[in-house]
Amino acid sequence: MADADLEAIRAARRQQLQEQGGGSGGQGDQEDEKRQQEQQVRSSILAQILTPAASDRINRIRLVKASRADDVETRLITLARSGQLRQNVDEEQLKQILEAVSEAQEEREKVVVHRRKGGWDEDDLDDLLNDI
């Protein structure tokens, strides 16, 4: 095939995809760009309020459990915006914040086991096997 033929096929395919998508591809790009911009703002705030050791600790936590790192970062950003942070957060202060977040998560993630009354006993298994 000639280059001109390939270009014509590609143009037709692009047109077909645009018609099927209804132009929603632009919205996805805008959302991605907005999400990326929010991430950049978040990173710059964290770079301003964390010492390098504390930043390394959060990155190690992210490797293990990303949701926990996000919770800690959100709490740090909230504290910074409300003016409760007077200086950069060092590793010891970060550990205290981690403990607080951990306690809050434990309260939310309590598991309650409801046992059925009148459950199985030793004779029930024998009765079940004898019925076979």
Side-chain angles (χ1 to χ4, degrees):
M1 282 189 161
D3 289 338
D5 292 338
L6 286 174
E7 274 305 312
I9 293 172
R10 286 182 183 146
R13 181 68 179 148
R14 269 189 237 118
Q15 180 67 28
Q16 183 183 14
L17 289 173
Q18 285 178 353
E19 289 173 2
Q20 287 178 354
S24 66
Q27 283 183 342
D29 292 341
Q30 289 175 351
E31 290 174 6
D32 290 342
E33 187 175 314
K34 183 179 178 183
R35 201 173 303 124
Q36 188 177 25
Q37 191 174 27
E38 289 174 359
Q39 185 62 32
Q40 287 176 347
V41 169
R42 191 175 172 101
S43 296
S44 68
I45 291 172
L46 290 171
Q48 292 173 3
I49 63 175
L50 291 175
T51 62
S55 180
D56 287 344
R57 182 173 284 270
I58 286 185
N59 288 333
R60 287 190 307 259
I61 291 168
R62 183 176 311 288
L63 292 173
V64 176
K65 193 162 188 178
S67 63
R68 179 71 47 96
D70 289 340
D71 291 344
V72 171
E73 287 177 352
T74 302
R75 182 170 282 199
L76 286 168
I77 290 171
T78 303
L79 290 172
R81 286 185 176 161
S82 66
Q84 295 179 5
L85 294 178
R86 305 275 186 249
Q87 58 187 3
N88 284 356
V89 176
D90 63 357
E91 198 167 0
E92 290 302 318
Q93 292 171 327
L94 184 63
K95 287 179 186 178
Q96 293 172 354
I97 293 171
L98 279 167
E99 288 175 7
V101 169
S102 176
E103 289 173 4
Q105 288 233 326
E106 285 177 9
E107 291 175 8
R108 284 188 294 193
E109 295 177 356
K110 282 193 175 178
V111 176
V112 178
V113 177
H114 297 285
R115 298 196 184 267
R116 295 181 182 175
K117 298 195 184 206
W120 289 77
D121 60 9
E122 294 175 11
D123 295 339
D124 290 339
L125 183 58
D126 294 334
D127 293 341
L128 183 65
L129 293 175
N130 288 337
D131 288 342
I132 294 178

